[in-house]
Amino acid sequence: MSKKSRGLTTKIFIGLLVGLIVGIVVYQLPDGTFKNNILIDGIFQLLGQVFLRGIMMMVVPLVFISLVNGASSMGDVKKLGRVGARTILFYLVTTAFAVTLALALGYLIKPGTGLDLGTIEQVETTVSSKTPLVQILYEMVPRNPIAAMGEGNMLQIIVFAIITGIGLSTLGEKVKIVVQIFEQLNELIIKMVGFVMLFAPIGVFGLIARTFATVGYAALVPLLKYIIAVYIGLILHAGLIYSGMLKGLTGLSPKIFFKKIFPAMSVAFSTASSGATVPINLDINEKEFGVSRNIASFTIPLGATINMDGTAIMQGVATFFIAQVYNVPLSIGAILTVVLTATLASIGTAGVPGAGTIMLSMVLQSIGLPIEGIGLIMGIDRLVDMGRTAVNITGDAACTVIIAKKEGELKEEIFNSDSKELSK
Ligand code: ASP
């Protein structure tokens, strides 16, 4: 990483810590205009939202442009097909692992037993009814690509971008100028993201301070076991599965991987949005891991949309939690159904805060658990969302590095180099 971006990482981290401390202090203050209107819904909200919206502003054009580039620069359609198939397979398998691990933890830790339902405020949920799988599949094809962009419907944007990219690469020389325009747009958008990222430390401060000033730590106590179980799952998954796959499939050092991915993890942690983390994840994959742009610009935006291992872990633990709270024993069949639906739900989960909890309704309904159970965890969802999003995007990066290595598109000297030698 260049000196400049290393400085930025440190600053983001400081923003995060200061936000946490300030948030907890503010939480202790008596409710009133100063605390609620001036701080929580005033300053913290302003700083956080300006950053969040700034970065969200870049997401649709970035994902579209970068996927068109990725797909068109893959050279031949066969290679795109191979990389695409491997990427999707990798994403699905790791997610299935994740939810299995989570179910084991849910079974062992039993987060829901001993929970006194009476003391927990039931939060209204606005969970939509079950979306059939077939519908998730056919709705990936946009009826109107411009509307898809307007709505920020990532799956539809991805489908349209990949088809555009394939068209460009099939036409080759004939559309040279269009390809160049897309390449230049890519440069432009990355530059613009850089501008927004300059505001990251302050934005992260605002987001974290607001979360903790609202929730505080005392509110955590009844749900602590649930949170801890999810976090154990997240740490085990990242530490064992990603490290093991990296080491086993590529021989690359997991230690270097985690050290270099950390800035992206902290952006994911503070924004709770995989979508918002795409820019920095792309940057790290290219500049720090030495992954070629055509691979990264394909796998990272795709992963941010369909690969959600952290979310699957939350869904596995939450299912057990809710089943235990409502005293519903889970049969083997129910558990297998959860593995399947949570894996598929993760594909349909948007990379935005809280989306995974909404999709949890699909998992609960598939085995007949009451969706009202979601109300129990909604209040603290943000704290879990931050961690699971960090794992979601780490999975995208791990997959990218592995695929790039297999395709001969990873410069190992860059991966192994000390961050500071790299620049610009
Ligand atoms: N916030 C997550 C993400 O963007 C999705 C979720 O809610 O689980 O990756």
Side-chain angles (χ1 to χ4, degrees):
M1 212 180 297
S2 65
K3 271 237 173 73
K4 209 171 113 206
S5 58
R6 206 168 26 161
L8 186 61
T9 310
T10 316
K11 282 188 204 147
I12 292 178
F13 192 65
I14 294 173
L16 202 138
L17 278 184
V18 176
L20 193 118
I21 297 166
V22 171
I24 288 178
V25 170
V26 169
Y27 177 74
Q28 317 286 338
L29 298 177
D31 280 339
T33 317
F34 178 65
K35 173 181 169 183
N36 300 79
N37 303 356
I38 299 185
L39 293 179
I40 299 184
D41 290 331
I43 298 172
F44 299 162
Q45 176 79 328
L46 178 72
L47 298 177
Q49 290 303 315
V50 166
F51 171 60
L52 204 56
R53 294 176 72 106
I55 207 132
M56 290 315 269
M57 163 177 87
M58 310 310 303
V59 169
V60 169
L62 180 85
V63 168
F64 179 67
I65 293 168
S66 118
L67 269 178
V68 171
N69 264 307
S72 70
S73 59
M74 206 75 85
D76 59 305
V77 176
K78 253 204 197 137
K79 179 166 180 194
L80 176 63
R82 189 180 60 233
V83 173
R86 277 188 178 176
T87 308
I88 291 172
L89 183 75
F90 185 101
Y91 284 160
L92 287 179
V93 170
T94 49
T95 307
F97 258 124
V99 43
T100 312
L101 171 71
L103 289 169
L105 284 170
Y107 178 74
L108 291 174
I109 298 181
K110 301 203 184 348
T113 45
L115 184 74
D116 183 357
L117 272 181
T119 62
I120 290 177
E121 194 189 331
Q122 297 269 350
V123 189
E124 257 311 288
T125 58
T126 47
V127 172
S128 60
S129 60
K130 182 176 174 183
T131 315
L133 272 180
V134 180
Q135 192 181 341
I136 294 184
L137 292 177
Y138 70 68
E139 280 185 350
M140 287 167 69
V141 182
R143 240 197 304 239
N144 173 350
I146 307 293
M149 291 185 201
E151 290 159 9
N153 185 323
M154 288 303 160
L155 279 177
Q156 297 188 346
I157 296 174
I158 286 181
V159 168
F160 187 65
I162 291 178
I163 296 174
T164 311
I166 294 176
L168 288 176
S169 98
T170 319
L171 287 169
E173 274 298 295
K174 270 195 226 160
V175 287
K176 212 172 67 196
I177 296 180
V178 185
V179 171
Q180 269 175 8
I181 290 176
F182 270 103
E183 280 165 10
Q184 293 184 1
L185 283 174
N186 214 18
E187 295 291 336
L188 171 65
I189 208 95
I190 288 172
K191 188 81 209 161
M192 290 166 75
V193 167
F195 295 148
V196 176
M197 284 308 294
L198 290 177
F199 193 68
I202 297 174
V204 165
F205 162 81
L207 290 170
I208 299 279
R210 187 162 191 275
T211 304
F212 280 87
T214 318
V215 179
Y217 53 83
L220 300 182
V221 178
L223 293 161
L224 211 56
K225 254 168 119 185
Y226 164 72
I227 296 174
I228 290 174
V230 175
Y231 272 88
I232 292 178
L234 295 175
I235 292 167
L236 285 180
H237 189 71
L240 297 180
I241 305 288
Y242 297 155
S243 297
M245 286 185 120
L246 265 177
K247 192 92 205 139
L249 296 174
T250 65
L252 294 167
S253 152
K255 199 169 149 208
I256 297 181
F257 173 81
F258 279 106
K259 197 169 147 208
K260 289 185 167 180
I261 198 67
F262 182 76
M265 289 177 87
S266 34
V267 170
F269 189 79
S270 49
T271 60
S273 164
S274 298
T277 315
V278 169
I280 186 166
N281 208 0
L282 264 178
D283 207 46
I284 290 177
N285 271 274
E286 283 178 34
K287 298 201 183 124
E288 300 282 328
F289 294 154
V291 172
S292 74
R293 177 170 290 184
N294 58 25
I295 295 281
S297 62
F298 178 75
T299 55
I300 295 291
L302 184 67
T305 312
I306 68 166
N307 184 40
M308 310 262 169
D309 295 355
T311 300
I313 288 174
M314 174 280 284
Q315 291 176 341
V317 177
T319 304
F320 256 98
F321 175 75
I322 291 167
Q324 286 156 359
V325 168
Y326 286 95
N327 274 315
V328 181
L330 293 183
S331 65
I332 295 288
I335 289 174
L336 289 177
T337 311
V338 172
V339 174
L340 190 72
T341 46
T343 306
L344 291 167
S346 78
I347 297 177
T349 301
V352 295
T357 319
I358 307 288
M359 289 306 278
L360 179 60
S361 64
M362 176 174 148
V363 180
L364 296 181
Q365 287 197 351
S366 72
I367 54 168
L369 282 174
I371 29 175
E372 292 71 51
I374 295 179
L376 300 175
I377 52 175
M378 274 234 166
I380 44 95
D381 189 55
R382 180 72 184 208
L383 297 173
V384 175
D385 201 1
M386 299 194 295
R388 69 178 184 251
T389 309
V391 168
N392 287 345
I393 64 96
T394 306
D396 305 340
C399 167
T400 300
V401 167
I402 292 171
I403 301 236
K405 173 84 202 267
K406 294 277 176 223
E407 290 289 324
E409 305 243 16
L410 182 126
K411 293 204 182 78
E412 265 186 66
E413 63 288 3
I414 299 190
F415 185 94
N416 291 321
S417 68
D418 188 359
S419 295
K420 66 175 176 286
E421 281 166 28
L422 269 173
S423 60
K424 284 125 234 148

